Amino acid sequence: MANCNSITLQSPILITGAGGFVGQNLAANLAAQGYTNLLLFDKDSPAAALAEYAGQAQFVFHLAGVNRPTNNTEFYTGNADLTAQLLGLLQAAGNKAPLVLTSTTQAGNGTDYAKSKEAAETAVFAHGQQNQSDVYVYRLPGVFGKWSRPNYNTVVATFCHNVANNLPLEIRDPAYPLPLCYIDDVIASFTGVLTGCTPPPAAGQHMGINPTTTVTLGQLASLIQSFKQNRTTLALPNMGDAFTKKLYATYLSYLPQSAFSYPLTMHTDERGSFTEFLRTPERGQVSVNVSKPGIVKGNHWHNTKNEKFLVVRGSAVIRFRKVGDEEIIEYKVSGEKLEVVDIPTGYTHNIENVGEGELVTVMWASEPFDPKNPDTYFEKV
């Protein structure tokens, strides 16, 4: 079998369907990793280019296919027939390059789409046996991520696009289960095969993507809609959940270019301003505090809430006094040398602007402010 360790950054790598969702992500990631000889073939490429590339390629990613034709015969010409054509060109060139084929978890459901993909799979498995080539046939669930086309590739792309653009969602069956995998996990698996000599599976065995997550359409819609609300609530999604983190990244890629930014509410008075930036129930709240020269803010203490102060512009003195004691502790800080000052519980504290200009401090609190339970007690340092 072929030795994938022979693949170098200069090796010619053929990607069919290079202009599609998966192909575009694969080509961009390989180029970013330093691969310099990508043979990109797409529906707009000259037909003769496929034969030329098939003779040169040292690795083949066959991603091209048809999933939304104008008539069902295009399933077979765009999936089964194109695969057979590519395999024939490889064999005619005596090319034993390893080959990755993308198929679908819908295989076996009896549709023309599934049948055309199954025919492509069968041809690739036979090619591997006859040509003594390593073949990797991936049956992919719904793939989501950046650059996926709404109303074409996946429901995730459609939902993200619609929510980001204030368009309604059409949900026929909220309980419908939807298996999904993330584009970066797909690309990581592909590049692992390319660079790491992942052993090919046994003859006729398919490959999948790990992790794959199953959600209902209703859950998917609710989660994506919550992302839009976060700009008002300032609450970050649960970044501890891998699926939510990947879905949020996908949602942001569908924002209109005019909507990348959003305003924050600045609470201003004669002393300066205080602006909350973001909050999470698990990891607290981040705010930006601006103080005018000579202003002292704080003079309070907390039981459980703890904070971190980071002065990013100006000069300040942060003072502490343990509740019940008389000793005052001072820390002089400035934006000239960034350092974090922890605010321990049980210490009343304040921060004074001792500079000539505005003092800008980034403040983190271990819990979002709750007016019903502020855990804040006034006492001068």
Side-chain angles (χ1 to χ4, degrees):
M1 295 292 181
N3 178 10
C4 59
N5 282 327
S6 64
I7 299 298
T8 69
L9 294 178
Q10 294 76 39
S11 298
I13 299 170
L14 170 58
I15 304 175
T16 72
F21 167 42
V22 178
Q24 187 180 2
N25 275 272
L26 177 61
N29 276 272
L30 291 182
Q33 293 175 40
Y35 289 91
T36 60
N37 197 359
L38 302 180
L39 310 176
L40 306 182
F41 183 84
D42 200 49
K43 59 183 180 180
D44 296 325
S45 301
L50 188 60
E52 177 185 348
Y53 294 162
Q56 300 174 12
Q58 293 182 22
F59 200 100
V60 179
F61 289 98
H62 181 38
L63 315 179
V66 172
N67 60 355
R68 290 182 181 269
T70 55
N71 60 75
N72 284 351
T73 59
E74 293 180 15
F75 280 134
Y76 297 95
T77 57
N79 295 325
D81 294 351
L82 179 61
T83 300
Q85 179 187 0
L86 172 62
L87 299 178
L89 293 171
L90 290 170
Q91 291 170 1
N95 191 340
K96 298 182 182 296
L99 183 145
V100 167
L101 171 73
T102 50
S103 185
T104 174
T105 53
Q106 295 184 41
N109 68 9
T111 62
D112 286 303
Y113 174 60
K115 291 177 182 178
S116 67
K117 284 294 190 179
E118 291 165 26
E121 292 179 3
T122 300
V124 167
F125 284 133
H127 170 82
Q129 291 293 313
Q130 297 167 7
N131 207 43
Q132 288 296 290
S133 299
D134 292 340
V135 295
Y136 305 81
V137 176
Y138 282 84
R139 282 190 170 178
L140 300 178
V143 183
F144 70 95
K146 65 184 183 302
W147 304 336
S148 178
R149 289 168 55 188
N151 301 306
Y152 183 82
N153 287 123
T154 69
V155 66
V156 175
T158 304
F159 281 8
C160 286
H161 172 268
N162 284 17
V163 171
N165 289 276
N166 300 310
L167 299 174
L169 301 184
E170 181 180 345
I171 307 173
R172 297 179 181 177
D173 181 4
Y176 183 81
L178 192 67
L180 297 170
C181 65
Y182 186 51
I183 185 61
D184 285 11
D185 294 324
V186 174
I187 302 306
S189 185
F190 286 179
T191 54
V193 168
L194 174 68
T195 63
C197 259
T198 300
Q205 184 176 338
H206 303 89
M207 299 186 69
I209 300 297
N210 184 31
T212 293
T213 303
T214 299
V215 296
T216 67
L217 281 177
Q219 291 170 332
L220 180 68
S222 177
L223 189 53
I224 294 173
Q225 287 169 328
S226 74
F227 297 156
K228 186 177 184 68
Q229 298 166 3
N230 289 342
R231 286 189 165 190
T232 301
T233 65
L234 302 183
L236 282 177
N238 180 11
M239 293 298 171
D241 177 72
F243 177 75
T244 300
K245 181 179 180 180
K246 296 166 184 175
L247 189 63
Y248 183 60
T250 302
Y251 168 75
L252 291 179
S253 73
Y254 289 89
L255 289 175
Q257 293 180 2
S258 60
F260 286 0
S261 68
Y262 57 101
L264 297 174
T265 300
M266 297 179 65
H267 302 279
T268 60
D269 57 25
E270 68 281 357
R271 302 174 302 164
S273 66
F274 181 84
T275 306
E276 185 180 346
F277 173 32
L278 53 84
R279 57 168 53 201
T280 71
E282 305 89 0
R283 294 176 175 83
Q285 170 181 309
V286 177
S287 306
V288 178
N289 187 57
V290 179
S291 298
K292 295 180 179 179
I295 293 297
V296 178
K297 290 186 178 182
N299 285 318
H300 58 240
W301 61 278
H302 314 289
N303 278 313
T304 303
K305 179 188 297 184
N306 54 89
E307 300 169 295
K308 294 179 183 289
F309 287 3
L310 173 63
V311 170
V312 296
R313 189 174 74 190
S315 300
V317 174
I318 302 174
R319 299 183 179 91
F320 299 89
R321 180 176 59 80
K322 186 177 181 180
V323 174
D325 288 356
E326 296 183 356
E327 180 185 8
I328 295 176
I329 304 165
E330 292 188 349
Y331 280 82
K332 296 180 180 179
V333 292
S334 79
E336 298 298 318
K337 181 184 178 183
L338 297 185
E339 56 184 309
V340 175
V341 178
D342 272 316
I343 312 298
T345 56
Y347 282 81
T348 187
H349 53 277
N350 64 31
I351 181 169
E352 179 181 1
N353 182 354
V354 297
E356 298 180 355
E358 286 188 335
L359 174 70
V360 180
T361 307
V362 177
M363 297 179 171
W364 171 84
S366 60
E367 57 190 46
F369 178 73
D370 181 0
K372 296 181 180 179
N373 182 27
D375 188 15
T376 300
Y377 307 93
F378 174 78
E379 184 171 332
K380 286 188 176 181
V381 174

